[in-house]
Each structure stands twice: as structure tokens, then as C-alpha cells.
Amino acid sequence: MAEDVKPTRKNLMEIEDRIDLSERGHDTLEQKRDGLIMEFMDILDQAQDVRDQLEADYETAQTKINKARAMEGDVAVRGAAAALKEHPEITTQSKNIMGVVVPQIESSKVKKNLDERGYGVLGSSARIDEAADAYEELIESIILAAEVETAMKKMLEEIETTKRRVNALEFKLLPELNENKEYIEQKLEEQEREEIFRLKKIKAKKEEEEKAEEREAAAEAEAAALEAGVAESDD
């Protein structure tokens, strides 16, 4: 509360410095918030494209695997899947977007040539190959979706954190500091008026005392002159 602040010029200067610092911090955070929102909107558009692609790849993969099962049988499909020896490898790195660290997921050994799938060219059919191709595409879409969705989540969290800081400065700290500043300025003005009034009273009292001394001196001089006149007349 403003009443808890001592109304001194030192405190006034400190509060003015804090207001200046808080205003500059508020402007910086607003710029960061706006920049984050723009980056988030770009990622959101990308996420929508990735989701659409993921759904399309899933539908294609399901269609291909169902066709392979119908034409080749579950045993042949499961046998081809079990023959896989090299599984996809996932590595994660990070990148910085407006001060927010987001993951960058890289994959390898997802898409394979026919001779890399383990079941052999002669041990499969075109339907199984097409299903394998479709699922490799689906895995890559899943990896990309995971990267984009995680980045979007982290960006959204940072936007919310930045918004809370902006609001705290704008609606709490700065109003309190300005209230304290106004309170101190008002008290200092009152003190200044009281001091001026006190000095005027002192000055008026001093002038009255000087006038009284002058009147007393004049009376004494007049009395002395009268005494001198009486003495001369006696002579």
C-alpha cells in the first residue's frame, strides 16, 4: 500500500527508476509475446498440414495392409513384418525459436529398399511391398507430427508465461508503483507547503519583532530627547 512507503525524495527517485525499468521490461515482453504468437501461428499452420498428411498416410497404410492381407493372407503379411531386422532410429536435437527451445527430431532407416526389408524380393509380393512403403511413409509423418506438436505445445506454454508477466507488470506492479509515486509526490508537496507556511510565519514574527524593537528604540530616543530639553531649560 502507498501508506507504507516513506515519503522521501530518495524513495521517490528509487520508485521512478523502478517504473522506468518496469516500463522497458513491459515493452520488451510485449514484443516477445507478439513475436511468439506470430511464430506460433506459423507452426499452427504447419501442424494442420502435418495432421492432414498424417491422416491421409494412415488411411493409405490401412488400405494397403488390408489389401495385402486379403490377397496374400495374414501369415504372409506377418512373416514379412517379422523378417525386418533393422528398425528405425530416432535422434533428438534442439533448436531455438524466440528464446524457446523446441525439439528437432531426426530419423534414419525408416524408408528401406526392397533388399533391406529382410524378407527378400522373391519371398514377397507387390501388395506387401506397397503396404511396407505406405507404413514407412506413415512413420515419417508420425515423427514429423511429434516434432511439430511438441514445438507447438512449448511455444504455447511460453506465450502463456509471457502473457502472465506482461499482465503482472501492466495491471499490478506498474499501477502500484505509480500509486506510490503519486502518494510520495503529494506528501512532499504538502511538506513543502507546510515548510513555506512555517517560514512565512517565522519571517512575519521576525519582522514584527524588528518593528517592535524599532518602536522601542524610537521611544527611548524620544524620551532621551525630552530629558535633554528639560535639562537645558533648567539651566
Side-chain angles (χ1 to χ4, degrees), residues 7-88:
T8 63
R9 295 201 175 276
K10 179 182 178 182
N11 284 343
L12 179 61
M13 292 176 62
E14 289 178 352
I15 287 176
E16 287 175 341
D17 289 341
R18 290 186 63 191
I19 289 175
D20 181 63
L21 181 62
S22 298
E23 286 177 343
R24 285 190 280 116
H26 178 267
D27 292 341
T28 300
L29 286 172
E30 275 194 328
Q31 292 174 6
K32 179 181 179 181
R33 179 200 60 193
D34 295 342
L36 285 170
I37 291 174
M38 291 179 65
E39 292 288 345
F40 177 78
M41 296 306 295
D42 290 340
I43 295 176
L44 185 62
D45 291 338
Q46 183 183 0
Q48 186 59 55
D49 293 339
V50 170
R51 288 171 186 169
D52 293 342
Q53 185 62 49
L54 180 60
E55 291 178 2
D57 289 344
Y58 177 77
E59 291 294 333
T60 300
Q62 285 294 98
T63 300
K64 296 292 185 181
I65 196 70
N66 289 336
K67 185 177 180 180
R69 283 173 175 169
M71 299 295 293
E72 308 296 334
D74 282 345
V75 174
V77 172
R78 291 179 183 274
L84 183 64
K85 295 179 180 180
E86 288 189 342
H87 296 280

Coordinates of all heavy atoms in Angstrom, one line a residue, residues 7-88:
P7 N 7.5 8.9 2.6 CA 7.5 10.0 1.5 C 8.8 10.8 1.6 O 8.9 11.9 2.1 CB 6.3 10.8 1.9 CG 6.2 10.6 3.4 CD 6.6 9.2 3.7
T8 N 9.9 10.2 1.0 CA 11.2 10.9 0.9 C 11.6 11.0 -0.5 O 11.1 10.2 -1.4 CB 12.3 10.1 1.7 OG1 12.5 8.8 1.1 CG2 11.9 9.9 3.2
R9 N 12.4 12.0 -0.8 CA 12.9 12.2 -2.2 C 13.7 11.0 -2.6 O 13.7 10.6 -3.8 CB 13.7 13.5 -2.3 CG 12.8 14.7 -2.0 CD 13.4 16.0 -2.6 NE 12.5 17.1 -2.4 CZ 11.4 17.4 -3.2 NH1 11.2 16.6 -4.3 NH2 10.6 18.4 -3.0
K10 N 14.4 10.4 -1.7 CA 15.2 9.2 -2.1 C 14.3 8.1 -2.6 O 14.6 7.4 -3.6 CB 16.1 8.7 -0.9 CG 16.9 7.5 -1.2 CD 17.7 7.0 0.0 CE 18.5 5.8 -0.3 NZ 19.2 5.3 0.9
N11 N 13.2 7.8 -1.8 CA 12.3 6.8 -2.2 C 11.6 7.1 -3.5 O 11.3 6.2 -4.4 CB 11.2 6.6 -1.1 CG 11.8 5.8 0.0 OD1 12.8 5.1 -0.1 ND2 11.1 5.9 1.2
L12 N 11.3 8.4 -3.7 CA 10.7 8.9 -5.0 C 11.6 8.6 -6.2 O 11.2 8.1 -7.2 CB 10.4 10.4 -4.9 CG 9.8 11.0 -6.2 CD1 8.4 10.3 -6.5 CD2 9.6 12.5 -6.0
M13 N 12.9 8.8 -6.0 CA 13.9 8.6 -7.1 C 14.0 7.1 -7.4 O 14.0 6.6 -8.5 CB 15.2 9.1 -6.8 CG 15.3 10.7 -6.7 SD 16.9 11.3 -6.2 CE 17.9 10.7 -7.5
E14 N 14.0 6.3 -6.3 CA 14.1 4.8 -6.5 C 12.8 4.3 -7.2 O 12.9 3.4 -8.1 CB 14.2 4.1 -5.1 CG 15.6 4.4 -4.5 CD 15.7 3.7 -3.1 OE1 14.6 3.3 -2.6 OE2 16.8 3.7 -2.5
I15 N 11.6 4.8 -6.8 CA 10.4 4.3 -7.5 C 10.4 4.8 -8.9 O 9.9 4.0 -9.8 CB 9.2 4.9 -6.7 CG1 9.0 4.1 -5.4 CG2 7.9 4.7 -7.5 CD1 7.9 4.7 -4.5
E16 N 10.8 6.0 -9.2 CA 10.9 6.4 -10.6 C 11.8 5.5 -11.5 O 11.5 5.2 -12.6 CB 11.3 7.9 -10.7 CG 10.3 8.9 -10.2 CD 10.7 10.3 -10.2 OE1 12.0 10.5 -10.1 OE2 9.9 11.2 -10.1
D17 N 12.9 5.1 -10.9 CA 13.8 4.2 -11.6 C 13.2 2.8 -11.8 O 13.3 2.3 -12.9 CB 15.1 4.0 -10.7 CG 16.0 5.2 -10.7 OD1 15.8 6.1 -11.6 OD2 16.9 5.4 -9.9
R18 N 12.4 2.4 -10.8 CA 11.7 1.1 -10.9 C 10.6 1.2 -12.0 O 10.4 0.2 -12.8 CB 11.1 0.6 -9.6 CG 12.2 0.2 -8.6 CD 11.5 -0.4 -7.3 NE 10.7 -1.6 -7.7 CZ 9.8 -2.1 -6.8 NH1 9.6 -1.6 -5.6 NH2 9.2 -3.2 -7.2
I19 N 9.9 2.3 -12.0 CA 8.9 2.5 -13.1 C 9.5 2.5 -14.4 O 9.0 1.8 -15.4 CB 8.1 3.8 -12.8 CG1 7.3 3.7 -11.6 CG2 7.3 4.2 -14.0 CD1 6.6 5.0 -11.2
D20 N 10.6 3.2 -14.6 CA 11.3 3.2 -15.9 C 11.7 1.8 -16.3 O 11.5 1.4 -17.5 CB 12.5 4.2 -15.8 CG 13.2 4.3 -17.2 OD1 12.6 4.7 -18.2 OD2 14.4 3.9 -17.2
L21 N 12.3 1.1 -15.4 CA 12.8 -0.3 -15.7 C 11.6 -1.2 -16.0 O 11.7 -2.0 -16.9 CB 13.6 -0.8 -14.5 CG 14.2 -2.2 -14.6 CD1 15.2 -2.3 -15.8 CD2 14.8 -2.7 -13.3
S22 N 10.5 -1.1 -15.2 CA 9.4 -1.9 -15.4 C 8.7 -1.6 -16.8 O 8.2 -2.5 -17.5 CB 8.4 -1.7 -14.3 OG 8.9 -2.1 -13.1
E23 N 8.6 -0.4 -17.1 CA 8.0 0.0 -18.4 C 8.8 -0.6 -19.6 O 8.3 -1.0 -20.6 CB 7.9 1.5 -18.5 CG 6.8 2.1 -17.7 CD 6.7 3.6 -17.7 OE1 7.7 4.2 -18.2 OE2 5.7 4.2 -17.3
R24 N 10.2 -0.5 -19.5 CA 11.0 -1.0 -20.5 C 10.9 -2.5 -20.6 O 10.9 -3.1 -21.7 CB 12.5 -0.6 -20.3 CG 12.7 0.9 -20.7 CD 14.2 1.2 -20.7 NE 14.7 1.5 -19.4 CZ 15.6 0.8 -18.7 NH1 16.1 -0.3 -19.4 NH2 16.0 1.1 -17.5
G25 N 10.8 -3.2 -19.4 CA 10.6 -4.6 -19.4 C 9.3 -5.0 -20.0 O 9.1 -6.0 -20.7
H26 N 8.2 -4.2 -19.7 CA 6.9 -4.4 -20.2 C 6.9 -4.4 -21.7 O 6.3 -5.2 -22.4 CB 5.9 -3.4 -19.6 CG 4.5 -3.5 -20.1 ND1 4.1 -2.8 -21.2 CD2 3.5 -4.3 -19.7 CE1 2.8 -3.1 -21.5 NE2 2.4 -4.0 -20.6
D27 N 7.6 -3.4 -22.3 CA 7.6 -3.2 -23.7 C 8.4 -4.4 -24.4 O 8.0 -4.9 -25.4 CB 8.3 -1.9 -24.1 CG 7.5 -0.7 -23.7 OD1 6.3 -0.8 -23.5 OD2 8.1 0.4 -23.6
T28 N 9.5 -4.8 -23.7 CA 10.2 -5.9 -24.3 C 9.4 -7.2 -24.2 O 9.4 -8.0 -25.2 CB 11.5 -6.1 -23.4 OG1 12.3 -5.0 -23.5 CG2 12.3 -7.3 -24.0
L29 N 8.7 -7.5 -23.1 CA 7.9 -8.7 -23.0 C 6.7 -8.6 -24.0 O 6.3 -9.7 -24.6 CB 7.3 -8.8 -21.6 CG 8.4 -9.3 -20.5 CD1 7.8 -9.2 -19.2 CD2 8.8 -10.7 -20.8
E30 N 6.2 -7.5 -24.2 CA 5.1 -7.3 -25.2 C 5.6 -7.7 -26.6 O 4.9 -8.4 -27.4 CB 4.5 -5.9 -25.2 CG 3.4 -5.7 -24.2 CD 2.7 -4.4 -24.5 OE1 3.3 -3.4 -25.0 OE2 1.5 -4.3 -24.2
Q31 N 6.8 -7.2 -27.0 CA 7.4 -7.5 -28.3 C 7.6 -9.0 -28.4 O 7.4 -9.7 -29.4 CB 8.7 -6.8 -28.5 CG 8.5 -5.2 -28.6 CD 9.8 -4.5 -28.7 OE1 10.9 -5.1 -28.7 NE2 9.7 -3.2 -28.6
K32 N 8.1 -9.6 -27.3 CA 8.4 -11.1 -27.3 C 7.1 -11.8 -27.4 O 7.0 -12.8 -28.2 CB 9.1 -11.5 -26.0 CG 9.4 -13.0 -25.9 CD 10.0 -13.4 -24.6 CE 10.3 -14.9 -24.5 NZ 10.9 -15.3 -23.2
R33 N 6.1 -11.4 -26.7 CA 4.8 -12.1 -26.8 C 4.2 -12.0 -28.2 O 3.8 -13.1 -28.7 CB 3.8 -11.4 -25.8 CG 2.4 -12.0 -25.8 CD 1.4 -11.0 -25.3 NE 1.3 -9.8 -26.0 CZ 0.8 -8.7 -25.6 NH1 0.2 -8.6 -24.4 NH2 0.8 -7.6 -26.4
D34 N 4.3 -10.9 -28.8 CA 3.8 -10.7 -30.2 C 4.6 -11.6 -31.2 O 4.0 -12.2 -32.1 CB 3.8 -9.3 -30.6 CG 2.9 -8.4 -29.8 OD1 2.0 -9.0 -29.1 OD2 3.0 -7.2 -29.8
G35 N 5.9 -11.6 -31.0 CA 6.8 -12.4 -31.8 C 6.5 -13.9 -31.7 O 6.4 -14.7 -32.7
L36 N 6.3 -14.3 -30.4 CA 5.9 -15.7 -30.2 C 4.6 -16.1 -30.8 O 4.4 -17.2 -31.3 CB 5.9 -16.0 -28.6 CG 7.2 -16.0 -27.9 CD1 7.0 -16.0 -26.4 CD2 8.0 -17.3 -28.3
I37 N 3.6 -15.2 -30.7 CA 2.3 -15.5 -31.3 C 2.4 -15.7 -32.8 O 1.8 -16.6 -33.4 CB 1.3 -14.4 -31.0 CG1 1.0 -14.4 -29.5 CG2 0.0 -14.5 -31.8 CD1 0.1 -13.3 -29.0
M38 N 3.2 -14.8 -33.5 CA 3.4 -14.9 -34.9 C 4.1 -16.3 -35.3 O 3.7 -17.0 -36.2 CB 4.3 -13.8 -35.4 CG 3.6 -12.4 -35.3 SD 4.6 -11.0 -35.9 CE 4.8 -11.5 -37.7
E39 N 5.1 -16.6 -34.5 CA 5.8 -17.9 -34.7 C 4.8 -19.1 -34.5 O 4.8 -20.1 -35.2 CB 7.0 -18.1 -33.8 CG 8.2 -17.1 -34.1 CD 8.9 -17.5 -35.4 OE1 8.7 -18.6 -35.9 OE2 9.6 -16.6 -35.9
F40 N 4.0 -18.9 -33.4 CA 3.0 -20.0 -33.1 C 2.0 -20.2 -34.2 O 1.7 -21.3 -34.5 CB 2.3 -19.7 -31.8 CG 1.3 -20.7 -31.4 CD1 1.6 -21.9 -30.8 CD2 -0.1 -20.4 -31.6 CE1 0.6 -22.8 -30.5 CE2 -1.1 -21.3 -31.3 CZ -0.7 -22.5 -30.7
M41 N 1.6 -19.1 -34.8 CA 0.6 -19.2 -35.9 C 1.2 -19.9 -37.1 O 0.5 -20.7 -37.8 CB 0.1 -17.8 -36.3 CG -0.6 -17.0 -35.2 SD -2.0 -18.0 -34.5 CE -3.1 -18.1 -36.0
D42 N 2.5 -19.6 -37.4 CA 3.2 -20.3 -38.5 C 3.3 -21.8 -38.2 O 3.0 -22.7 -39.0 CB 4.6 -19.8 -38.7 CG 4.6 -18.4 -39.2 OD1 3.6 -18.0 -39.8 OD2 5.6 -17.6 -39.1
I43 N 3.6 -22.2 -36.9 CA 3.7 -23.6 -36.5 C 2.3 -24.2 -36.6 O 2.2 -25.4 -36.9 CB 4.3 -23.7 -35.1 CG1 5.8 -23.3 -35.2 CG2 4.3 -25.2 -34.7 CD1 6.5 -23.3 -33.8
L44 N 1.3 -23.5 -36.2 CA -0.1 -24.0 -36.2 C -0.5 -24.3 -37.6 O -1.1 -25.4 -37.8 CB -1.0 -22.9 -35.6 CG -2.5 -23.4 -35.4 CD1 -2.6 -24.5 -34.4 CD2 -3.3 -22.2 -34.9
D45 N -0.2 -23.5 -38.5 CA -0.5 -23.8 -40.0 C 0.2 -25.0 -40.4 O -0.3 -25.9 -41.1 CB -0.1 -22.6 -40.8 CG -1.0 -21.4 -40.6 OD1 -2.1 -21.5 -40.1 OD2 -0.5 -20.3 -40.9
Q46 N 1.5 -25.1 -40.0 CA 2.3 -26.3 -40.4 C 1.7 -27.5 -39.7 O 1.6 -28.6 -40.3 CB 3.8 -26.1 -39.9 CG 4.7 -27.3 -40.3 CD 6.1 -27.1 -39.8 OE1 6.4 -26.1 -39.1 NE2 6.9 -28.1 -40.1
A47 N 1.3 -27.4 -38.4 CA 0.7 -28.5 -37.7 C -0.6 -29.1 -38.4 O -0.8 -30.3 -38.5 CB 0.4 -28.2 -36.3
Q48 N -1.4 -28.1 -38.9 CA -2.6 -28.5 -39.6 C -2.3 -29.3 -40.9 O -2.9 -30.3 -41.1 CB -3.4 -27.3 -39.9 CG -4.8 -27.6 -40.5 CD -5.6 -28.5 -39.6 OE1 -5.9 -28.1 -38.4 NE2 -6.1 -29.6 -40.1
D49 N -1.3 -28.8 -41.6 CA -0.8 -29.6 -42.8 C -0.3 -31.0 -42.4 O -0.6 -31.9 -43.1 CB 0.2 -28.8 -43.5 CG -0.3 -27.5 -44.1 OD1 -1.5 -27.4 -44.3 OD2 0.5 -26.5 -44.4
V50 N 0.5 -31.0 -41.4 CA 1.1 -32.3 -40.9 C 0.0 -33.3 -40.5 O 0.0 -34.5 -40.8 CB 2.1 -32.1 -39.8 CG1 2.5 -33.4 -39.2 CG2 3.3 -31.3 -40.3
R51 N -1.0 -32.8 -39.8 CA -2.1 -33.6 -39.3 C -2.9 -34.1 -40.5 O -3.3 -35.3 -40.6 CB -3.1 -32.8 -38.4 CG -2.5 -32.5 -37.1 CD -3.4 -31.5 -36.3 NE -2.8 -31.1 -35.1 CZ -3.3 -30.1 -34.3 NH1 -4.3 -29.4 -34.8 NH2 -2.7 -29.8 -33.2
D52 N -3.2 -33.3 -41.5 CA -3.9 -33.7 -42.7 C -3.1 -34.8 -43.4 O -3.7 -35.8 -43.9 CB -4.1 -32.5 -43.6 CG -5.1 -31.5 -43.1 OD1 -5.8 -31.9 -42.1 OD2 -5.1 -30.4 -43.5
Q53 N -1.8 -34.6 -43.5 CA -0.9 -35.6 -44.2 C -0.9 -36.9 -43.4 O -0.9 -38.0 -44.0 CB 0.5 -35.0 -44.4 CG 1.4 -35.9 -45.2 CD 1.0 -36.1 -46.6 OE1 0.6 -35.1 -47.3 NE2 0.9 -37.4 -47.0
L54 N -0.8 -36.8 -42.1 CA -0.8 -37.9 -41.2 C -2.1 -38.8 -41.4 O -2.0 -40.0 -41.5 CB -0.6 -37.5 -39.8 CG -0.6 -38.7 -38.7 CD1 0.5 -39.6 -39.0 CD2 -0.5 -38.1 -37.3
E55 N -3.2 -38.1 -41.4 CA -4.5 -38.8 -41.6 C -4.5 -39.5 -43.0 O -5.0 -40.6 -43.1 CB -5.7 -37.8 -41.5 CG -5.9 -37.3 -40.1 CD -7.0 -36.3 -40.0 OE1 -7.6 -36.0 -41.0 OE2 -7.2 -35.8 -38.9
A56 N -4.0 -38.8 -44.0 CA -4.0 -39.3 -45.4 C -3.1 -40.5 -45.4 O -3.5 -41.6 -46.0 CB -3.6 -38.3 -46.4
D57 N -1.9 -40.4 -44.8 CA -1.0 -41.6 -44.8 C -1.5 -42.8 -44.1 O -1.3 -43.9 -44.4 CB 0.4 -41.1 -44.2 CG 1.1 -40.2 -45.1 OD1 0.8 -40.1 -46.3 OD2 2.1 -39.5 -44.7
Y58 N -2.3 -42.5 -43.0 CA -2.8 -43.5 -42.2 C -3.9 -44.3 -43.0 O -3.9 -45.5 -43.0 CB -3.4 -43.0 -40.9 CG -4.1 -44.0 -40.1 CD1 -3.4 -44.9 -39.3 CD2 -5.5 -44.1 -40.1 CE1 -4.1 -45.9 -38.5 CE2 -6.2 -45.1 -39.3 CZ -5.4 -46.0 -38.5 OH -6.1 -46.9 -37.8
E59 N -4.8 -43.5 -43.7 CA -5.8 -44.1 -44.5 C -5.2 -45.0 -45.6 O -5.6 -46.1 -45.9 CB -6.7 -43.1 -45.1 CG -7.6 -42.3 -44.1 CD -8.6 -43.2 -43.5 OE1 -9.0 -44.2 -44.1 OE2 -9.0 -43.0 -42.3
T60 N -4.1 -44.4 -46.2 CA -3.4 -45.2 -47.3 C -2.8 -46.5 -46.8 O -2.9 -47.6 -47.4 CB -2.3 -44.3 -47.9 OG1 -2.9 -43.1 -48.5 CG2 -1.6 -45.1 -49.0
A61 N -2.1 -46.4 -45.6 CA -1.5 -47.5 -45.0 C -2.5 -48.6 -44.6 O -2.3 -49.8 -44.9 CB -0.7 -47.1 -43.8
Q62 N -3.6 -48.2 -44.1 CA -4.7 -49.1 -43.7 C -5.2 -49.8 -45.0 O -5.5 -51.1 -45.0 CB -5.8 -48.4 -43.0 CG -5.4 -48.1 -41.5 CD -5.2 -49.3 -40.7 OE1 -4.1 -49.7 -40.4 NE2 -6.3 -49.9 -40.2
T63 N -5.4 -49.1 -46.0 CA -6.0 -49.6 -47.2 C -5.0 -50.6 -47.8 O -5.4 -51.7 -48.2 CB -6.2 -48.5 -48.3 OG1 -7.2 -47.6 -47.7 CG2 -6.7 -49.1 -49.6
K64 N -3.7 -50.3 -47.8 CA -2.7 -51.2 -48.4 C -2.5 -52.5 -47.6 O -2.4 -53.5 -48.2 CB -1.3 -50.4 -48.4 CG -1.3 -49.2 -49.4 CD -1.4 -49.6 -50.8 CE -1.3 -48.4 -51.7 NZ -1.4 -48.7 -53.2
I65 N -2.5 -52.3 -46.2 CA -2.3 -53.5 -45.4 C -3.5 -54.5 -45.5 O -3.4 -55.7 -45.5 CB -2.0 -53.2 -43.9 CG1 -1.4 -54.4 -43.2 CG2 -3.3 -52.7 -43.2 CD1 -0.1 -54.7 -43.6
N66 N -4.7 -53.8 -45.6 CA -5.9 -54.7 -45.7 C -6.0 -55.4 -47.1 O -6.4 -56.6 -47.1 CB -7.2 -53.8 -45.6 CG -7.4 -53.3 -44.2 OD1 -6.9 -53.9 -43.2 ND2 -8.1 -52.2 -44.0
K67 N -5.5 -54.7 -48.1 CA -5.4 -55.3 -49.4 C -4.4 -56.5 -49.4 O -4.6 -57.6 -50.0 CB -5.0 -54.3 -50.4 CG -5.0 -54.8 -51.9 CD -4.7 -53.7 -52.8 CE -4.7 -54.2 -54.3 NZ -4.4 -53.1 -55.3
A68 N -3.3 -56.3 -48.7 CA -2.2 -57.3 -48.7 C -2.7 -58.5 -47.9 O -2.5 -59.7 -48.3 CB -1.0 -56.7 -48.0
R69 N -3.4 -58.3 -46.8 CA -4.0 -59.4 -46.0 C -5.0 -60.2 -46.8 O -5.1 -61.4 -46.8 CB -4.6 -58.9 -44.7 CG -3.7 -58.5 -43.7 CD -4.4 -57.8 -42.5 NE -3.4 -57.5 -41.4 CZ -3.7 -56.7 -40.4 NH1 -4.9 -56.2 -40.3 NH2 -2.8 -56.6 -39.4
A70 N -5.8 -59.4 -47.6 CA -6.9 -60.1 -48.3 C -6.3 -60.9 -49.5 O -6.8 -62.0 -49.8 CB -7.8 -59.1 -48.9
M71 N -5.2 -60.4 -50.1 CA -4.7 -61.1 -51.3 C -3.6 -62.1 -50.9 O -3.5 -63.2 -51.5 CB -4.0 -60.1 -52.2 CG -5.0 -59.0 -52.7 SD -6.3 -59.7 -53.8 CE -5.3 -60.3 -55.2
E72 N -2.8 -61.9 -49.8 CA -1.7 -62.8 -49.5 C -1.9 -63.6 -48.2 O -1.2 -64.5 -48.0 CB -0.4 -61.9 -49.4 CG -0.1 -61.1 -50.5 CD 0.2 -61.8 -51.8 OE1 0.6 -63.0 -51.7 OE2 -0.1 -61.3 -52.9
G73 N -2.9 -63.1 -47.4 CA -3.1 -63.8 -46.1 C -2.3 -63.2 -45.0 O -1.3 -62.6 -45.2
D74 N -2.9 -63.3 -43.8 CA -2.2 -62.8 -42.6 C -0.9 -63.4 -42.3 O 0.0 -62.7 -41.8 CB -3.1 -63.0 -41.3 CG -4.3 -61.9 -41.3 OD1 -4.2 -60.9 -42.0 OD2 -5.2 -62.1 -40.5
V75 N -0.7 -64.7 -42.6 CA 0.5 -65.3 -42.3 C 1.7 -64.7 -43.2 O 2.7 -64.5 -42.6 CB 0.4 -66.9 -42.7 CG1 1.8 -67.5 -42.5 CG2 -0.6 -67.5 -41.7
A76 N 1.4 -64.5 -44.4 CA 2.5 -63.9 -45.3 C 2.8 -62.5 -44.8 O 4.0 -62.1 -44.8 CB 2.0 -63.9 -46.7
V77 N 1.8 -61.7 -44.5 CA 2.0 -60.3 -44.0 C 2.8 -60.3 -42.7 O 3.7 -59.5 -42.6 CB 0.7 -59.6 -43.9 CG1 0.9 -58.2 -43.2 CG2 0.0 -59.4 -45.2
R78 N 2.4 -61.2 -41.8 CA 3.1 -61.2 -40.5 C 4.5 -61.7 -40.7 O 5.5 -61.3 -40.0 CB 2.3 -62.1 -39.5 CG 1.0 -61.5 -39.1 CD 0.3 -62.5 -38.1 NE -1.0 -62.0 -37.7 CZ -1.2 -61.1 -36.7 NH1 -0.2 -60.7 -36.0 NH2 -2.4 -60.7 -36.4
G79 N 4.7 -62.7 -41.6 CA 6.0 -63.2 -41.9 C 6.9 -62.1 -42.4 O 8.1 -62.0 -42.0
A80 N 6.4 -61.3 -43.3 CA 7.2 -60.2 -43.9 C 7.6 -59.2 -42.8 O 8.7 -58.6 -42.8 CB 6.4 -59.5 -45.0
A81 N 6.6 -58.9 -41.9 CA 6.9 -57.9 -40.8 C 7.9 -58.5 -39.9 O 8.8 -57.7 -39.4 CB 5.6 -57.6 -40.1
A82 N 7.9 -59.8 -39.6 CA 8.8 -60.4 -38.6 C 10.2 -60.4 -39.2 O 11.2 -60.5 -38.5 CB 8.3 -61.7 -38.2
A83 N 10.3 -60.4 -40.5 CA 11.6 -60.5 -41.2 C 12.5 -59.3 -41.1 O 13.7 -59.3 -41.3 CB 11.5 -60.9 -42.7
L84 N 11.8 -58.2 -40.7 CA 12.6 -56.9 -40.6 C 13.6 -57.0 -39.5 O 13.4 -57.3 -38.3 CB 11.6 -55.8 -40.2 CG 12.1 -54.4 -40.2 CD1 12.7 -53.9 -41.5 CD2 11.1 -53.4 -39.7
K85 N 14.8 -56.6 -39.8 CA 16.0 -56.7 -38.9 C 16.4 -55.3 -38.4 O 16.8 -55.2 -37.3 CB 17.2 -57.4 -39.6 CG 16.8 -58.9 -39.9 CD 18.0 -59.6 -40.6 CE 17.7 -61.0 -40.9 NZ 18.9 -61.7 -41.6
E86 N 16.4 -54.4 -39.3 CA 16.8 -53.0 -38.9 C 15.6 -52.1 -38.7 O 14.8 -51.9 -39.5 CB 17.7 -52.4 -40.0 CG 19.1 -53.0 -40.1 CD 20.0 -52.2 -41.1 OE1 19.4 -51.4 -41.9 OE2 21.2 -52.4 -41.0
H87 N 15.5 -51.7 -37.4 CA 14.4 -50.8 -37.1 C 14.8 -49.3 -37.2 O 15.9 -49.0 -37.1 CB 14.0 -51.1 -35.6 CG 13.4 -52.5 -35.4 ND1 12.2 -52.9 -35.8 CD2 14.1 -53.6 -35.0 CE1 12.0 -54.2 -35.5 NE2 13.1 -54.7 -35.0
P88 N 13.8 -48.5 -37.4 CA 14.1 -47.0 -37.5 C 14.8 -46.5 -36.3 O 14.6 -47.0 -35.1 CB 12.7 -46.4 -37.6 CG 11.8 -47.5 -38.1 CD 12.4 -48.8 -37.5

